[in-house]
Amino acid sequence: MNDNDRGLSGAVYEARTYGSVRAKKSGLIFPTFSYSIITGTNLWHCFISIAAGALILGVLEGALLPILLNITAVTIDSLVLKPWLNILYFLPSGDIMVILYIFIKKYNFIIFDLSLDRD
């Protein structure tokens, strides 16, 4: 099967495979360095906070996206053809993350204790 025979599903596969490798490399490194430079925070602390945020977002989207795709009867191939659907499907995850952030700030909940003062 050559590249022309694979059609849209082949394009989706390649975009996921090769695009995700590039996103993983620059998706954590650039924000870590830029956040560390802008705020003056320890580089390791920035990396941990960005990785935790990416993990929370990944779990939420991994749980919600199949449910939303089943409800709306949209296929993954159509997400490539209509990129605005990606933004639409992010909104429930974004809302849950905002609620989680408000809860954490309101009750002073600590996810990671990154202080060096350990007793």
Side-chain angles (χ1 to χ4, degrees):
M1 179 183 268
N2 62 22
D3 290 338
N4 293 334
D5 294 337
R6 287 202 280 177
L8 185 59
S9 62
V12 170
Y13 170 76
E14 289 180 15
R16 283 190 185 159
T17 304
Y18 300 112
S20 64
V21 171
R22 288 189 197 113
K24 288 177 186 173
K25 289 180 182 176
S26 64
L28 291 176
I29 295 171
F30 179 72
T32 300
F33 281 111
S34 61
Y35 186 70
S36 177
I37 290 170
I38 291 171
T39 62
T41 307
N42 184 349
L43 188 66
W44 182 247
H45 294 178
C46 292
F47 175 76
I48 290 172
S49 64
I50 290 172
L55 178 69
I56 293 169
L57 177 63
V59 168
L60 283 174
E61 285 187 353
L64 292 176
L65 189 61
I67 296 168
L68 293 173
L69 289 176
N70 284 336
I71 291 172
T72 59
V74 174
T75 63
I76 297 210
D77 290 339
S78 63
L79 291 177
V80 174
L81 295 174
K82 300 174 185 172
W84 59 271
L85 286 174
N86 290 319
I87 296 169
L88 182 68
Y89 287 147
F90 168 76
L91 293 177
S93 300
D95 291 341
I96 292 171
M97 288 176 45
V98 167
I99 291 168
L100 184 63
Y101 177 77
I102 291 169
F103 174 77
I104 288 171
K105 290 304 260 183
K106 182 177 180 179
Y107 294 107
N108 202 16
F109 185 75
I110 297 174
I111 297 175
F112 292 110
D113 185 11
L114 299 174
S115 64
L116 298 175
D117 302 332
R118 308 245 168 144
D119 293 329

